[in-house]
């Protein structure tokens, strides 16, 4: 069970470091990150658990170090948390992931871009060094924030982690007929930096608005009018879009934003708007915008040209 929990963390962190093309250390944002695993008891009862305390960094040299607090395991049953720490984790305080990666490997990743990659890391747990392999997705949310998530569910066995005896004890104490020995794991890690970031592209990109037709964008804007207006200080279901191009995300006075938008270190550049409008929920998970997005690149270019010109 523990192996399954830890492996995605390790991999995610590793992925992040390999995807980092920036010139400063990256620090894990624990509030926006999650490491979850599932279990099945009595053959039919499925449950979801997590680790509540995660810390970690990725250095500008590519050194990855992620620490998972074992006592922070949350199964939503207090006695089970205690038993896992005593019998499965054997009182250990933490598991640690380390890796060394090529920082320059993903230097083409721009704000709003996604990239899939296979990574390998090493997990130190209860005296064992466990190799970890997985496929991850990295998304650059802003120049100073990235999100790493598992591309697919990871299935891991308790035997690999050397905790079969501990899981046997859990089953005995809970008087269960069985506990799954292969565990599904998913992970999401958000990392941030306060330092200066390196240039993402070697050539200056063409402004999105320069590629668009503002007159046609006015027609595309009809899809937005149910929730947004261009007048300054006038909010509807969504905030006013007055001078939205170049504005800091979550900064319109008088509008109640979602937590993810309020905390986003994001400026609505033309490139960021283009990425967001493609699929809002995927670009910034947790935001309240229900609009599914504009699939056609031309529609997005025209709309952004109109937003810049009209306000």
């Amino acid at each position: 069970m523990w192996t399954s929990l830890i492996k995605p963390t390790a991999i995610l962190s590793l992925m992040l470091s390999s995807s980092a093309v920036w010139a400063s250390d990256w620090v894990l944002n624990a509030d926006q990150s999650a490491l979850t695993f599932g279990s099945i008891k009595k053959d039919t009862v499925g449950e979801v658990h997590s680790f509540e305390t995660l810390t970690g960094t990725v250095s500008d040299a590519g050194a990855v170090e992620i620490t998972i607090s074992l006592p922070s395991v949350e199964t939503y049953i207090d006695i089970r948390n205690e038993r896992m720490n005593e019998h499965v984790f054997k009182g250990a305080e933490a598991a640690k992931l380390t890796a060394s990666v090529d920082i320059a490997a993903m230097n083409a990743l721009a704000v709003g871009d996604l990239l899939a990659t296979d990574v390998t890391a090493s997990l130190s747990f209860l005296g064992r060094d466990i190799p970890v392999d997985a496929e991850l997705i990295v998304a650059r949310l802003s120049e100073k924030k990235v999100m790493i998530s598992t591309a697919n569910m990871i299935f891991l066995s308790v035997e690999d982690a050397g905790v079969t005896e501990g899981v046997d004890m859990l089953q005995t104490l809970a008087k269960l007929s069985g506990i799954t020995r292969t565990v599904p794991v998913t992970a999401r890690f958000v990392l941030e930096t306060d330092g200066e970031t390196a240039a993402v592209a070697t050539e200056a990109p063409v402004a999105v608005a320069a590629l668009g037709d503002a007159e046609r964008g006015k027609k595309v804007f009809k899809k937005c009018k149910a929730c947004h207006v261009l007048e300054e200080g006038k909010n509807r279901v969504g905030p006013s879009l007055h001078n939205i191009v170049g504005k800091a995300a979550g900064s319109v006075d008088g509008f109640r934003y979602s937590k993810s938008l309020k905390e986003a270190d994001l400026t609505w550049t033309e490139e960021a708007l283009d990425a967001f409008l493609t699929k809002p929920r995927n670009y910034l998970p947790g935001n309240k915008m229900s609009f599914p997005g504009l699939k056609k690149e031309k529609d997005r270019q025209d709309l952004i040209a109109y937003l810049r010109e009209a306000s």
Side-chain angles (χ1 to χ4, degrees), residues 125-281:
F125 173 64
L126 297 181
R128 294 191 176 200
D129 290 323
I130 305 168
V132 179
D133 299 296
E135 182 183 3
L136 303 176
I137 298 293
V138 59
R140 189 167 182 177
L141 304 181
S142 72
E143 287 189 3
K144 297 186 178 183
K145 180 181 288 190
V146 294
M147 179 175 69
I148 310 298
S149 59
T150 45
N152 299 298
M153 190 174 292
I154 299 173
F155 293 92
L156 302 162
S157 74
V158 299
E159 184 178 357
D160 291 340
V163 295
T164 300
E165 183 178 334
V167 175
D168 286 343
M169 180 59 71
L170 291 183
Q171 182 175 330
T172 299
L173 292 172
K175 299 179 180 180
L176 297 173
S177 58
I179 297 178
T180 182
R181 303 308 170 99
T182 301
V183 182
V185 180
T186 61
R188 178 186 73 248
F189 289 86
V190 174
L191 294 103
E192 299 173 317
T193 181
D194 291 328
E196 293 299 319
T197 58
V200 179
T202 57
E203 298 180 3
V206 177
V208 175
L211 302 174
D213 180 343
E215 190 61 33
R216 185 177 179 278
K218 184 176 181 179
K219 297 178 181 178
V220 179
F221 184 70
K222 291 180 180 179
K223 297 181 179 181
C224 313
K225 292 179 71 174
C227 299
H228 299 279
V229 295
L230 295 177
E231 289 88 344
E232 184 176 7
K234 187 175 182 180
N235 299 320
R236 287 186 175 175
V237 176
S240 166
L241 298 182
H242 179 74
N243 283 337
I244 186 64
V245 180
K247 186 187 292 291
S251 64
V252 174
D253 291 339
F255 186 77
R256 296 181 62 183
Y257 288 95
S258 62
K259 182 179 179 181
S260 62
L261 255 173
K262 286 191 295 185
E263 296 180 352
D265 179 16
L266 176 65
T267 298
W268 289 126
T269 62
E270 294 176 10
E271 293 74 23
L273 283 169
D274 181 60
F276 178 75
L277 289 169
T278 302
K279 204 163 188 179
R281 288 294 180 90

Side-chain angles (χ1 to χ4, degrees), residues 23-202:
S24 181
D25 286 1
W26 288 79
V27 178
L28 187 74
N29 182 324
D31 291 338
Q32 296 181 14
S33 302
L35 177 61
T36 61
F37 63 102
S39 65
I40 299 175
K41 63 184 182 182
K42 299 180 181 178
D43 296 327
T44 59
V45 181
E47 297 175 293
V48 177
H49 321 291
S50 64
F51 285 97
E52 298 297 289
T53 303
L54 309 169
T55 58
T57 59
V58 179
S59 76
D60 60 357
V64 180
E65 185 170 299
I66 299 294
T67 300
I68 301 170
S69 170
L70 301 181
S72 75
V73 66
E74 180 57 82
T75 68
Y76 305 100
I77 298 177
D78 290 343
I79 187 62
R80 184 164 58 190
N81 294 345
E82 295 173 7
R83 288 171 175 173
M84 285 195 68
N85 276 293
E86 179 180 357
H87 300 294
V88 180
F89 304 149
K90 301 176 182 178
E93 289 297 316
K96 184 169 289 187
L97 166 82
T98 56
S100 179
V101 296
D102 180 5
I103 290 294
M106 298 173 67
N107 61 359
L109 194 65
V111 173
D113 279 354
L114 302 177
L115 183 64
T117 187
D118 294 323
V119 295
T120 300
S122 177
L123 172 69
S124 296
F125 173 64
L126 297 181
R128 294 191 176 200
D129 290 323
I130 305 168
V132 179
D133 299 296
E135 182 183 3
L136 303 176
I137 298 293
V138 59
R140 189 167 182 177
L141 304 181
S142 72
E143 287 189 3
K144 297 186 178 183
K145 180 181 288 190
V146 294
M147 179 175 69
I148 310 298
S149 59
T150 45
N152 299 298
M153 190 174 292
I154 299 173
F155 293 92
L156 302 162
S157 74
V158 299
E159 184 178 357
D160 291 340
V163 295
T164 300
E165 183 178 334
V167 175
D168 286 343
M169 180 59 71
L170 291 183
Q171 182 175 330
T172 299
L173 292 172
K175 299 179 180 180
L176 297 173
S177 58
I179 297 178
T180 182
R181 303 308 170 99
T182 301
V183 182
V185 180
T186 61
R188 178 186 73 248
F189 289 86
V190 174
L191 294 103
E192 299 173 317
T193 181
D194 291 328
E196 293 299 319
T197 58
V200 179
T202 57

